[in-house]
Amino acid sequence: MRRLAGLLVVPLLLLTAACGSDDKGSDSNSKNGLPAITAGAKFGEKPTLAKGEGDPPKELKVEVISKGDGATTKKGDALQVNYLGQTWVSDKPFDNSFDKKQPLDLTLGAGSVIPGWEKGLEGQKVGSRVEMSIPPELGYGDQAKGEEIPANSTLVFVVDILKATTIPVSATGTQVAQDNIDLPKVGTNTDGKAPSVTFPKESGPPKKLVSNYVIEGKGGVLTAKDSVVVKYEAYLWAGGKKFDSTYQAGKTQTFPLEQVTLKGLKDGLVGKKVGSRVLLVIPPDQAFGAKEQQGIPKNSTLVFAVDLLTKV
């Protein structure tokens, strides 16, 4: 079974993290061997970084530039961060969220960012600014990422931790009757385990998008501009074959809805309440259409059971 997150959401630059730091913070000068922040040193400001001096650290190095007073981040939290990244040997950023005015949403431990980020951001306080030097083995290794990130690059990031949200293990709320015999039935367990999905034996797939509550939560209604942390099971209608599962991977997935490329998935989630479990049946013209995608046959109707765990 292949994870298809890259087909569902426009891929973003994937980052990394590593061991936390107990430093109480420092000014913008490089006192521990990391490149100096030469402008924009305060939390919330777009930083400017000098080029690294000498050989880069061989291990992950994390410096707390300014320590926040919020909650301590932990594995499983949904984080929202601003960042700027460049390679050790350059003073030109290869990416940053400050110019985009769109923070990055990620879940610690979900594997959606490079390992250096996972390790470096865990154990930090919300409201902190940290600088990280990430060796190649915790970054992109021997793979180049365009001309700006050669193979075996040491990466340097300045990251502002804006927000951390504890993610529930399951949808919770009011069970909704599933009385249409022509649609799949989804389990209503709330123990964090994957819900069952039982397909009708004699019915064909619907021609239009189906987006039905299985469990109706009590949270806010999702808009097209929201990012939502989800768990899901995904099937082909034909044969009831499972093709993707966050439960099997043991990780959540964050969907920035503006970047969800599968039309039926986006349209089916917008307008639903956070905390809910939703059945989606997506016809081919709102899924992958007449193109085969990573083992999903062309003209396939897709079925998702999605838990909308929290907004970030």
Side-chain angles (χ1 to χ4, degrees), residues 78-92:
L79 302 188
Q80 188 172 81
V81 303
N82 273 320
Y83 67 91
L84 179 140
Q86 61 192 49
T87 64
W88 182 270
V89 298
S90 173
D91 59 2
K92 293 185 180 200

Side-chain angles (χ1 to χ4, degrees), residues 5 14 27 35 45 113-114 131 185 204 207 221 229 250 263 276:
L14 301 185
D27 60 24
E45 296 179 341
V113 294
I114 55 176
E131 182 178 357
K185 299 294 186 292
K207 302 298 184 185
V221 172
V229 181
K263 184 178 187 303
S276 299

Side-chain angles (χ1 to χ4, degrees), residues 18-19 21 23 32 34 60-64 120 124 130-132:
C19 330
S21 169
D23 295 343
N32 65 353
L34 296 183
L60 176 73
K61 198 164 190 178
V62 181
E63 178 183 4
V64 178
Q124 304 292 353
V130 299
E131 182 178 357
M132 300 184 290

Side-chain angles (χ1 to χ4, degrees), residues 9-89:
V9 180
V10 176
L12 296 173
L13 177 66
L14 301 185
L15 314 169
T16 314
C19 330
S21 169
D22 292 326
D23 295 343
K24 292 184 178 179
S26 70
D27 60 24
S28 61
N29 295 321
S30 177
K31 294 181 177 178
N32 65 353
L34 296 183
I37 300 176
T38 58
K42 293 182 180 179
F43 182 92
E45 296 179 341
K46 178 185 174 182
T48 300
L49 275 174
K51 186 185 298 187
E53 297 181 1
D55 293 332
K58 295 187 180 301
E59 298 182 354
L60 176 73
K61 198 164 190 178
V62 181
E63 178 183 4
V64 178
I65 303 300
S66 60
K67 189 172 184 178
D69 57 5
T72 300
T73 62
K74 62 186 183 301
K75 192 171 292 184
D77 281 353
L79 302 188
Q80 188 172 81
V81 303
N82 273 320
Y83 67 91
L84 179 140
Q86 61 192 49
T87 64
W88 182 270
V89 298

